[in-house]
Amino acid sequence: MKILFFTKYSRNGASSRLRTMQYIPYFEKNGYKCTVKPLFDDEYLYKLYNGKRFYYHVFKYYIKRFFDLRKVFFNDVVVIEYELFPYFPAIFEWFFKIFKVKYIVDYDDAVFHNYDQSSNLFIHKILSNKIDLVMKYSSIVIAGNDYLAQRALSAGAKRVEQIPTVVDIDRYIQKSYNKATNSTITIGWIGSPSTVKYVIFLFPVFYKLAEKFNITIHIIGAYTTYKTQDFIHYIPWTEETEKQEIAKFDIGIMPLENTNWEKGKCSYKLIQYMASKLPVIASPVGMNNEVVTHNVNGYLASDFLEWENYLTKLILDDSLRINMGEEGYNNVKENYSLHKTSKKYINILKKVTHV
């Protein structure tokens, strides 16, 4: 079977790397021939993450994808990440339906809210139901969590399957607890420039804790122009080093705002932390409530006071960090492991040929 993947990004884009590219070796091992056609390349991502705007270049990427669409007739299944052309009507997905091109569409974010909650009146009016149509025209929708799955069902999708965003647990470095007494405790976060706002929200808590404890804050993959104290460190992200950097944490955090957009998130950073045997603290929003079992593998914190209290508990108690880290690791091994979800994904690919 030949599979054509239309991803949004190259491998350096987290969603494309995790939802598609990490599965390719498993697919090929099972006899599938895979072709990946990203919409945006590394140059685009570099400029995006560095705050550079270059809208005129987007036209170039759209033209390339338009010509790549010809390849759908030479493949058995097409897998689309989110949509074929962002901020463009679902015309080509409709063509796929008319010409009986079987396609799977995959979501790990509530991208439909880019349209139905847009403050731009033109976008809201023209594209509010765009993603609903993409879902409806598809053979199967793969959703990263229940919030996304429920949207697909309400859109009239023929079939909906859930696959969380997962890790290859064997590639992660488990936390080593051989620190000297009174050594520095590292509180860590990993993300992107677009999501660093969530961790900035907690800076007042960090400043307060730093007055009492020997802590350092590691922020991987993002930075802020706000002036920060010297115990807050910004660390560049690379695929090669992220696992080593996460293993330097003592506590992993995932603060979020409580909006519909955040409900679509798939708690990937929590899963990364747990794969490294770290205790976690997260906002009780969306899928975080499923990944974190409060007081077992971590804590769910709703406000500044709870964040401060739970961080204090973990800072002071080595045994608590170890026990919660073990519980989190077992959770990932059982529920969020690439070895398990790859089998489910292959079964979905088999099903789509019979839709």
Side-chain angles (χ1 to χ4, degrees), residues 24-35:
I24 297 297
Y26 288 87
F27 297 155
E28 291 179 339
K29 187 177 179 181
N30 281 270
Y32 296 93
K33 183 177 179 180
C34 302
T35 303

Side-chain angles (χ1 to χ4, degrees), residues 91-302:
I91 294 172
F92 293 98
E93 290 88 350
W94 178 76
F95 281 147
F96 280 12
K97 175 179 179 291
I98 295 300
F99 288 101
K100 301 188 184 305
V101 175
K102 296 177 180 179
Y103 75 86
I104 297 169
V105 63
D106 179 57
Y107 296 95
D108 68 340
D109 256 330
V111 294
F112 36 84
H113 291 323
N114 287 334
Y115 306 123
D116 63 15
Q117 294 186 7
S118 175
S119 59
N120 184 303
L121 294 179
F122 179 80
I123 291 173
H124 186 272
K125 183 174 180 62
I126 302 299
L127 298 175
S128 279
N129 68 338
K130 184 225 173 142
I131 298 301
D132 291 334
L133 294 174
V134 175
M135 291 173 167
K136 184 177 181 179
Y137 298 152
S138 71
S139 298
I140 297 177
V141 175
I142 298 178
N145 64 30
D146 188 62
Y147 184 76
L148 303 173
Q150 290 303 316
R151 178 62 176 245
L153 290 170
S154 67
K158 300 179 187 69
R159 188 175 196 136
V160 181
E161 300 277 357
Q162 283 196 50
I163 295 182
T165 302
V166 299
V167 296
D168 183 348
I169 199 168
D170 295 334
R171 297 182 61 199
Y172 277 75
I173 302 168
Q174 279 72 60
K175 181 68 183 178
S176 174
Y177 288 93
N178 55 2
K179 286 191 169 188
T181 305
N182 298 323
S183 61
T184 302
I185 297 295
T186 300
I187 299 167
W189 176 92
I190 186 169
S192 68
S194 65
T195 56
V196 73
K197 63 181 180 179
Y198 302 128
V199 75
I200 290 172
F201 171 77
L202 287 180
F203 278 9
V205 175
F206 300 152
Y207 294 150
K208 194 170 182 181
L209 290 171
E211 294 175 358
K212 299 183 288 184
F213 305 111
N214 186 14
I215 65 169
T216 185
I217 309 299
H218 284 195
I219 297 174
I220 300 175
Y223 63 92
T224 173
T225 55
Y226 295 136
K227 186 176 181 180
T228 55
Q229 296 183 18
D230 59 7
F231 70 92
I232 298 177
H233 304 286
Y234 300 98
I235 299 166
W237 175 90
T238 71
E239 185 178 357
E240 292 73 25
T241 62
E242 71 168 352
K243 297 169 185 64
Q244 289 90 338
E245 294 297 339
I246 291 173
K248 295 176 183 177
F249 298 174
D250 294 290
I251 304 164
I253 60 172
M254 188 176 176
L256 286 176
E257 296 173 1
N258 190 9
T259 74
N260 286 337
W261 176 259
E262 280 72 30
K263 291 174 184 176
K265 292 194 171 296
C266 293
S267 303
Y268 177 66
K269 53 177 60 64
L270 291 179
I271 293 165
Q272 287 186 289
Y273 304 149
M274 289 181 179
S276 296
K277 290 192 176 181
L278 298 176
V280 302
I281 306 178
S283 300
V285 177
M287 191 172 170
N288 287 4
N289 293 296
E290 300 174 33
V291 177
V292 179
T293 302
H294 185 71
N295 212 33
V296 176
N297 57 27
Y299 295 111
L300 294 166
S302 299

Side-chain angles (χ1 to χ4, degrees), residues 10 12 40-50 52 54 56-57 60-61:
S10 58
N12 282 331
F40 299 121
D41 59 17
D42 287 343
E43 179 189 12
Y44 176 90
L45 279 169
Y46 174 81
K47 292 182 177 179
L48 178 68
Y49 289 157
N50 285 276
K52 298 179 180 179
F54 58 123
Y56 61 92
H57 281 168
K60 173 186 72 173
Y61 296 116

Side-chain angles (χ1 to χ4, degrees), residues 10-28:
S10 58
R11 189 174 182 87
N12 282 331
S15 61
S16 301
R17 181 176 67 257
L18 301 170
R19 301 294 295 183
T20 297
M21 296 175 191
Q22 73 168 338
Y23 285 97
I24 297 297
Y26 288 87
F27 297 155
E28 291 179 339

